């Protein structure tokens, strides 16, 4: 706006500059010359001279001998023109309109104070600000995503937004026990979810919690719960310092055909894992250094056998303590290579298990990779490295091997997205002679919106379990398809199908199953 005002005031500014130059010249020639330049002293010179000559210029040349050109010097004296025979000059008629100089001065000097085009734009102070307390209900209104008209609005609680979801499904499962003995049953699935997002100017709180229960009326021994979740808190202590706090949990059950159990049980024993991480990240310009401490615990429920006896599993309960050091360097925004080192130790509740083995161990994992973000279309983190775990009992073989971890999300189109992931780790076991299970997992998910309220999701998982120190090997996969039809923002219908297959070298451990579900999903 200021540039436009200056541009519009350009002609007036040019007139003012020219006038200032005339005034400066007037001061240089004296008071009389300044009067000639500003306004002719002789009224006879107020109008134009014959031949179109300007009276001011003519008067200036007459008063300055150096500006008389090639005329003889005597012409500049009074009466010289008559002696040389020059014809006397006829005085011009008097002008009746205002001199041009006065008009210019009036337009350029007197009108500046009132010309808004030459004023800088100044913001007028706002008077009568609304009361923040009175406006608080308006500030807490839930935002609407214009790109997804069927997205849930959530529940606003202070500066947090909660996105709860409830789902009830009914269907059929061909193998609820996940064992070699197939016994199908009607399946009832109840599931609850909660997603949390903060709306803070600094710091951040986000997380997802999920819990569900499978009920099989025709095979009640196969009833089982499941769930997982994590909450992450980021504290922005300073511009270059932040603290990350995470809490996590996972609940699952053991299947009867597992090599670790390998018995007929009355109910599926629970397996619970929970823990947390506290880390500090310090940025030194483009260099980022993170130091984090990890604490995790895993517990196993005792198994109730079909003959009424109890199989103890508390000797598998263990705590894990770890220290992670991660160093990354931001080469450019969205591309940060890093080196990650994890040192951990696992301590069991009992120094010796039921087979007389000391299963406490120490491990180290070194990975190198990069986090990346390319135009928000391809984001993620990929790394590879090597792990080594040494056990306290010399009869248990050390576990070593390559490590591949990562998660990549690709927004192929506005309607289609692809997510890929991979992980490598070591799981505890009590199989005689096996020190641990080296497990590798790869997942893929494709999501496509057929319509604005109709979404198709394809999922696939590959799994490989290697019982170190034994000949037991397991290879398996799971594949599924989901179709979500949203009637509105808070109500939808979901249909899904999943197939699982596991091939194991252990006797009686292989299985395959098919699960069909149709349910209603509510987002309050």
């Amino acid at each position: 706006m200021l540039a436009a005002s200056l541009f519009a005031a350009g002609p007036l500014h040019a007139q003012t500059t020219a006038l200032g130059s005339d005034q400066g010249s007037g001061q240089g020639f004296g008071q009389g010359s300044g009067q000639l330049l500003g306004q002719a002293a002789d009224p006879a010179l107020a109008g134009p001279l014959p031949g179109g000559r300007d009276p001011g210029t003519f008067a200036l040349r007459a008063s300055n001998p150096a500006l008389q050109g090639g005329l003889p010097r005597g012409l500049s004296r009074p009466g010289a023109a008559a002696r040389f025979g020059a014809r006397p000059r006829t005085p011009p008629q008097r002008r009746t309109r205002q001199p041009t100089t006065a008009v210019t001065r009036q337009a350029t000097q007197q009108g500046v104070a009132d010309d808004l085009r030459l004023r800088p734009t100044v913001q007028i102070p706002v008077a009568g600000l609304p009361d923040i307390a009175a406006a608080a209900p308006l500030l807490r209104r839930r935002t609407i995503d214009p790109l997804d008209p069927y997205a849930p609005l959530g529940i606003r609680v202070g500066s947090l937004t909660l996105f709860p979801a409830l789902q009830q499904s009914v269907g059929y499962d061909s193998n609820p026990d996940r064992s070699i003995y197939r016994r199908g049953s009607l399946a009832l699935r109840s599931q609850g979810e909660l997603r949390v997002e903060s709306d803070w100017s600094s710091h951040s709180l986000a997380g997802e919690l999920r819990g569900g229960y499978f009920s099989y009326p025709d095979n009640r021994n196969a009833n089982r719960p499941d769930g997982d979740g994590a909450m992450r808190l980021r504290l922005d202590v300073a511009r270059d310092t932040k603290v990350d706090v995470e809490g996590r949990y996972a609940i699952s059950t053991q299947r009867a055909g597992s090599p670790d159990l390998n018995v007929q049980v009355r109910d599926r024993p629970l397996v619970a894992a929970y823990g947390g991480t506290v880390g500090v990240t310090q940025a030194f310009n483009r260099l980022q250094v993170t130091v984090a401490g990890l604490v995790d615990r895993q517990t196993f429920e005792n198994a109730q056998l079909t003959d009424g006896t109890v199989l103890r599993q508390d000797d598998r309960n263990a705590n894990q303590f770890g220290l992670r050091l991660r160093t990354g360097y931001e080469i450019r925004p969205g591309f940060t290579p890093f080196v990650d080192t994890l040192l951990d130790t696992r301590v069991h509740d009992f120094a010796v298990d039921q087979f007389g083995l000391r299963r406490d161990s120490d491990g180290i994992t070194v990975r190198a990779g990069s986090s990346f973000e390319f135009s928000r279309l391809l984001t993620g983190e990929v790394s590879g490295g090597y792990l080594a775990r040494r056990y306290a009992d010399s009869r248990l073989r050390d576990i070593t091997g390559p490590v591949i971890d990562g998660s990549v999300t690709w927004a192929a189109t506005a309607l289609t997205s692809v997510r890929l992931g991979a992980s490598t780790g070591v799981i505890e076991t009590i199989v005689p002679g096996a020190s641990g299970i080296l497990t590798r997992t790869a997942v893929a998910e494709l999501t496509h919106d057929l319509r604005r309220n109709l979404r198709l999701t394809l999922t696939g998982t590959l799994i490989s379990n290697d019982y170190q120190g034994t000949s037991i090997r397991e290879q398996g996969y799971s594949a599924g398809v989901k179709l979500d039809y949203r009637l509105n923002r808070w109500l939808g219908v979901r249909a899904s199908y999943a197939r699982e297959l596991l091939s194991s070298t252990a006797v009686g451990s292989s299985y395959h199953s098919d699960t069909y579900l149709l349910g209603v999903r509510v987002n309050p």
Side-chain angles (χ1 to χ4, degrees), residues 186-227:
L186 178 70
L188 301 176
R189 169 72 171 171
S190 301
Q191 181 176 340
E193 299 178 6
L194 177 62
R195 182 164 55 92
V196 181
E197 293 181 359
S198 65
D199 186 14
W200 301 338
S201 58
S202 61
H203 317 304
S204 174
L205 177 64
E208 294 183 2
L209 308 177
R210 185 185 64 85
Y213 190 83
F214 265 111
S215 177
Y216 300 98
D218 301 331
N219 187 1
R220 299 188 179 278
N221 293 338
N223 296 348
R224 61 183 183 273
D226 62 89

Side-chain angles (χ1 to χ4, degrees), residues 177-316:
D177 291 318
R178 301 298 189 266
S179 67
I180 194 174
Y181 306 103
R182 294 170 57 87
R183 180 186 173 188
S185 172
L186 178 70
L188 301 176
R189 169 72 171 171
S190 301
Q191 181 176 340
E193 299 178 6
L194 177 62
R195 182 164 55 92
V196 181
E197 293 181 359
S198 65
D199 186 14
W200 301 338
S201 58
S202 61
H203 317 304
S204 174
L205 177 64
E208 294 183 2
L209 308 177
R210 185 185 64 85
Y213 190 83
F214 265 111
S215 177
Y216 300 98
D218 301 331
N219 187 1
R220 299 188 179 278
N221 293 338
N223 296 348
R224 61 183 183 273
D226 62 89
D228 58 77
M231 294 293 295
R232 293 168 291 274
L233 173 65
R234 189 195 74 240
L235 301 176
D236 300 323
V237 179
R239 185 188 67 175
D240 298 327
T241 306
K242 66 177 182 177
V243 176
D244 294 294
V245 181
E246 180 185 85
R248 52 187 174 271
Y249 76 94
I251 299 176
S252 61
T253 56
Q254 291 178 275
R255 57 187 181 88
S258 171
D260 288 301
L261 202 56
N262 202 21
V263 292
Q264 292 296 323
V265 294
R266 179 176 300 174
D267 300 313
R268 300 183 62 161
L270 289 175
V271 179
Y274 47 90
T277 302
V278 177
V280 179
T281 301
Q282 179 66 42
F284 303 93
N285 198 358
R286 294 190 176 186
L287 182 65
Q288 301 175 0
V289 179
T290 301
V291 179
L294 300 83
V295 178
D296 290 278
R297 178 170 176 80
Q298 188 175 29
T299 59
F300 295 83
E301 184 184 22
N302 294 332
Q304 299 286 337
L305 303 184
T306 55
D307 58 3
T309 59
V310 177
L311 176 63
R312 290 185 52 195
Q313 296 196 96
D314 52 358
D315 57 343
R316 303 182 62 182

